[in-house]
Amino acid sequence: MPFRDFALLVLICLIWAVNAVLSRHVIAGLAVPALFFAFSRFVVSTAVLFPRLLPLPRPLAPVLLVGLLVGAGHFGLLFAGFSLLESSTAAVLLQAGIPMTALLSMLLLKERPGPVRLAGIALAFAGVVIVLWQPGQGGSVPGAVLVLLSAASLALGSVLLKRLVITPLQLQAWTGFVSMPVLAVASFVADSDPLARVGAHWAAFAGQLAFSALLVTVFSHTAYYRLLQRHDASLVSPLTLMFPLMTVALGIGFLGERPSTGLAIGAPLVLAGVAAVLWRPRR
């Protein structure tokens, strides 16, 4: 991989990590309703990507399903988890989505993983159990469950995505379009007076909303997909393990998070298991 592409991948992981920490701060620290924040993010990203909705993808139903899974399902549950769980723990638990994707590929796509990947799946889930066993003072089991469900939603959407023929930007446009009404209803039911709560911190909310919708959704995700097109996934994907490590560092440095014993022991197991799942022998 050329140094320029590697530097871009480092920047992408840094953007993801900063976004996780800032989202945690806005949702938990400033008490901005999680589902309303998720809804607002997709309003902005859809407005920017609206021209990408056409031409209408065919068939449309699978695109809508994938959009709901990687959009409303993933981000709605993740942001709800941020209200209960520290960003460093959430970033580590999100990595469970990679062995989940491997398992779902086995079930739905009939892929046959080798012994190294199977061992990696078992190791990653063992690490998750340890993280959950001692969530620490800043964590909570309900929050961890929400993050794991978020990872599962993204994993299922990623597997189903393999059957679609659609560009990354068009997929993101449809993801926002189909997620907005679902998250709007969910926010109306679950969030109490979101506009008043946002109004108290409107500048921080608007800044993080622009960062999350534009820099993360439009720029970093698109750049990541392009790197996957240029290089083997077996080379690019393992390097994204920089994301949880950066998130832990930023969470400690800026939010004063203190990793629990369970996270300190379980996180290396999760990351080692994920690395084994992503590893591909050179043929």
Side-chain angles (χ1 to χ4, degrees):
M1 176 184 290
F3 177 78
R4 180 178 179 179
D5 286 354
F6 175 75
L8 177 60
L9 187 56
V10 173
L11 176 62
I12 290 170
C13 290
L14 180 60
I15 289 173
W16 290 349
V18 171
N19 181 62
V21 171
L22 292 181
S23 296
R24 160 71 180 177
H25 172 66
V26 168
I27 293 170
L30 304 182
V32 171
L35 295 177
F36 181 78
F37 180 69
F39 162 72
S40 302
R41 169 180 173 153
F42 284 117
V43 169
V44 175
S45 64
T46 304
V48 173
L49 298 174
F50 188 80
R52 298 283 181 170
L53 292 173
L54 297 176
L56 201 66
R58 298 289 185 183
L60 182 59
V63 174
L64 298 180
L65 176 59
V66 170
L68 285 174
L69 288 170
V70 304
H74 172 58
F75 285 102
L77 291 167
L78 176 61
F79 288 166
F82 275 148
S83 66
L84 302 171
L85 197 67
E86 291 184 340
S87 60
S88 54
T89 305
V92 171
L93 291 177
L94 272 178
Q95 304 310 302
I98 294 176
M100 289 179 186
T101 302
L103 287 175
L104 289 170
S105 296
M106 292 167 53
L107 296 174
L108 300 179
L109 303 180
K110 307 302 180 183
E111 294 183 359
R112 295 183 178 180
V116 174
R117 296 190 72 191
L118 290 174
I121 292 171
L123 185 61
F125 283 128
V128 168
V129 171
I130 294 175
V131 173
L132 292 176
W133 191 258
Q134 294 181 344
Q137 295 181 352
S140 73
V141 172
V145 170
L146 288 171
V147 173
L148 289 174
L149 290 175
S150 167
S153 182
L154 180 61
L156 179 57
S158 299
V159 172
L160 297 178
L161 174 60
K162 294 182 180 181
R163 299 176 175 176
L164 301 181
V165 179
I166 188 172
T167 65
L169 282 178
Q170 188 176 34
L171 175 63
Q172 291 181 52
W174 277 99
T175 295
F177 185 78
V178 72
S179 296
M180 281 192 302
V182 175
L183 290 171
V185 172
S187 176
F188 179 80
V189 173
D191 297 332
S192 58
D193 200 8
L195 293 178
R197 294 165 66 182
V198 166
H201 306 283
W202 66 269
F205 171 77
Q208 174 55 14
L209 187 62
F211 183 92
S212 181
L214 301 179
L215 199 56
V216 177
T217 299
V218 177
F219 169 73
S220 65
H221 288 346
T222 302
Y224 178 69
Y225 288 136
R226 287 176 178 169
L227 286 178
L228 286 175
Q229 291 174 341
R230 295 178 192 170
H231 308 284
D232 291 341
S234 59
L235 175 63
V236 176
S237 297
L239 294 176
T240 61
L241 292 178
M242 291 184 289
F243 157 64
L245 300 177
M246 290 176 176
T247 304
V248 171
L250 291 174
I252 293 173
F254 291 94
L255 299 182
E257 298 178 353
R258 292 295 178 264
S260 65
T261 303
L263 180 63
I265 298 174
L269 296 179
V270 172
L271 299 182
V274 169
V277 171
L278 294 173
W279 179 77
R280 295 289 189 277
R282 183 176 298 275
R283 298 185 182 276

